[in-house]
Amino acid sequence: MHKNFKNIDKVTYGRGSFSQLAETVEPFRKENNHYFVYVIDNYFKGKELANKLQNKPEDLIYYIDVDPHEPTTEQIDTLRDEILTKKGLPSGVIGIGGGSIMDIAKALSLMLTNEGSSTLYQGLNLIKKAGVYHLGVPTISGTGAEVSMTAVLTGPEKKLGLKCDWTVFNQVILDPELIASVPTDWWFYTGMDTYIHCIESETGIRNNAFSLAYGEQSLKLCREIYLGDKAGQTPENNDKLMVASLMGGLSLTYSEVGVCHALSYGLSKILGTRHCYANCIIFQHLGDIYLKGHSEFMQMIAKHKIVLPQNLSKDWNEETLTAMANVSYNLPFMWHHAFGDNWQQKVNLDYIKDLFRRL
Ligand code: NAD
Ligand code: ZN
């Protein structure tokens, strides 16, 4: 089956475009109970951005601390129940933040109209009804969460997205000014998530001219941002990074991610390591699988003097390794993409545990 991907309905891009947020959402205020819910990364509380929201008094604003953990099913269920009890169904949800907030906004939009716990809907096409209007304003670029059809949540049993056409944002506003304050290490890790998306997308059997077109353009931008003469965290490069992240997300959507992401899910689910950081920790050891991409990645690491942790696996017992390997093995579409139809002849729990032992 060929993919039939639902893209974002509308995209605003450019420096200062955040100022268009209020007028963009205004036509949708007539829906439901005529108010908007803002979910905003706690980093922006009391900062300049908070004064530029142009929200209405009836709107609900939640500043969310995304640092203790990645978004959870319980967090979404609690927030949904609180909002519906307080004010009924909102006109829409506006998410302002990094990948965590993008996922919270997408999941919340869906769970406001779908009954029961979000754990019931972790998987593909399990959502029963369209959510409310939702708009994303990314403030870190890299994960591609602004464009993807999934809202990744960690539940009691699995780390898995609410994945369906309705998950995709109705609108995104890409304002490169908003990513200027990202700490340099996170600028690197999240940008590398984009880079790895594109390398994995093009290295596997689901690669095609459509995914490659987005992937190649995104890789070209990543090379300029992280390796070029003008490499570094500059306004010009931030303009490029926002586009690279979006295109990387489109590339993997029309193709697939691979070994690094399969392992990364295991590491994040069992040990709580953040997605982009986990990918960097893993990708440094995949030189035999992603030959060309790996050497370029190592050049980027050296150029930006990034120090990644080594010998982590010495502290992992067999139980931890098995738990991580199980999570990774249960992502067959990634292994299939990376190694082809006969992937099961190569990939089993022992093979995956050996990959984890490299870390
Ligand atoms: P994040 O949203 O977790 O934020 C990382 C840190 O950056 C936080 O401390 C945050 O407060 C801070 N921050 C955000 N914007 C900032 C800014 N402009 N200036 C300064 N600090 C800022 O980071 P992320 O890496 O973008 O997202 C990770 C999450 O994305 C994970 O939960 C992962 O599961 C999810 N993810 C989702 C998809 C998808 O397709 N839905 C894909 C990959 C990853
Ligand atoms: Zn990723």
Side-chain angles (χ1 to χ4, degrees):
M1 278 292 283
H2 295 286
K3 286 190 178 171
N4 191 8
F5 174 65
K6 166 78 176 63
N7 213 327
I8 309 164
D9 296 343
K10 297 187 105 178
V11 179
T12 307
Y13 168 79
R15 298 201 150 251
S17 58
F18 182 66
S19 64
Q20 290 169 220
L21 172 62
E23 66 190 77
T24 305
V25 300
E26 200 47 39
F28 300 94
R29 209 172 263 282
K30 61 180 187 308
E31 306 290 335
N32 306 323
N33 286 358
H34 315 300
Y35 79 99
F36 281 97
V37 175
Y38 290 70
V39 284
I40 307 178
D41 192 302
N42 203 37
Y43 168 81
F44 293 105
K45 196 169 186 178
K47 299 240 171 35
E48 206 187 329
L49 177 141
N51 300 325
K52 291 187 182 167
L53 290 177
Q54 295 176 273
N55 59 294
K56 296 266 169 78
E58 59 271 28
D59 295 337
L60 286 181
I61 299 183
Y62 290 92
Y63 286 98
I64 297 178
D65 185 355
V66 301
D67 282 328
H69 50 70
E70 294 190 333
T72 65
T73 49
E74 193 190 349
Q75 181 182 19
I76 297 298
D77 297 349
T78 308
L79 191 56
R80 181 264 319 265
D81 293 345
E82 191 182 312
I83 292 165
L84 290 178
T85 308
K86 249 187 197 161
K87 293 185 76 106
L89 200 60
S91 311
V93 176
I94 297 165
I96 306 174
S100 300
I101 292 284
M102 295 297 100
D103 283 351
I104 290 172
K106 291 195 277 187
L108 186 59
S109 148
L110 295 169
M111 293 313 301
L112 281 161
T113 54
N114 286 273
E115 282 168 21
S117 167
S118 49
T119 53
L120 299 170
Y121 304 106
Q122 283 181 287
L124 181 62
N125 291 333
L126 301 176
I127 290 282
K128 305 235 171 358
K129 291 184 211 160
V132 297
Y133 173 88
H134 47 307
L135 180 152
V137 183
T139 66
I140 298 195
S141 291
T143 64
E146 66 276 23
V147 67
S148 72
M149 64 176 297
T150 183
V152 183
L153 298 180
T154 303
E157 279 168 26
K158 43 196 168 186
K159 178 180 174 182
L160 195 62
L162 313 184
K163 201 170 177 188
C164 70
D165 284 357
W166 291 313
T167 313
V168 182
F169 279 117
N170 297 106
Q171 166 93 48
V172 294
I173 296 183
L174 305 176
D175 183 345
E177 282 179 8
L178 302 183
I179 64 172
S181 56
V182 172
T184 305
D185 50 352
W186 279 101
W187 165 81
F188 187 84
Y189 305 141
T190 51
M192 287 306 104
D193 193 26
T194 290
Y195 179 79
I196 296 166
H197 288 160
C198 298
I199 295 294
E200 293 194 314
S201 164
E202 74 173 19
T203 316
I205 59 167
R206 305 209 65 164
N207 179 37
N208 56 73
F210 204 113
S211 62
L212 197 58
Y214 283 119
E216 279 186 340
Q217 186 58 38
S218 177
L219 283 172
K220 177 174 172 287
L221 293 167
C222 287
R223 286 175 186 129
E224 289 169 15
I225 300 162
Y226 293 99
L227 282 180
D229 297 343
K230 296 183 178 158
Q233 205 176 3
T234 62
E236 294 73 24
N237 283 337
N238 285 343
D239 289 354
K240 293 175 183 176
L241 188 54
M242 282 211 126
V243 179
S245 173
L246 188 92
M247 290 197 167
L250 287 168
S251 178
L252 77 86
T253 302
Y254 284 102
S255 174
E256 189 51 80
V257 286
V259 178
C260 184
H261 273 74
L263 298 176
S264 170
Y265 271 72
L267 193 58
S268 294
K269 170 68 185 142
I270 304 304
L271 297 180
T273 314
R274 312 292 292 209
H275 178 80
C276 303
Y277 187 47
N279 281 342
C280 290
I281 291 172
I282 295 161
F283 201 71
Q284 61 176 332
H285 298 291
L286 299 185
D288 51 337
I289 300 173
Y290 296 108
L291 201 59
K292 195 165 137 266
H294 176 264
S295 70
E296 208 165 48
F297 173 80
M298 296 313 284
Q299 284 172 44
M300 296 184 195
I301 293 267
K303 188 168 177 91
H304 297 283
K305 302 185 173 53
I306 300 293
V307 180
L308 293 171
Q310 307 294 327
N311 299 322
L312 290 173
S313 62
K314 72 175 184 335
D315 299 326
W316 300 341
N317 59 25
E318 203 52 30
E319 199 185 336
T320 304
L321 281 166
T322 306
M324 292 197 295
N326 269 315
V327 174
S328 302
Y329 187 74
N330 281 317
L331 297 163
F333 41 93
M334 297 184 193
W335 297 108
H336 179 226
H337 169 63
F339 294 129
D341 288 338
N342 297 327
W343 66 274
Q344 277 162 311
Q345 287 175 9
K346 182 181 181 88
V347 180
N348 53 36
L349 284 185
D350 286 334
Y351 173 80
I352 299 176
K353 280 198 250 180
D354 278 343
L355 290 178
F356 277 120
R357 284 192 188 96
R358 294 181 182 188
L359 309 189

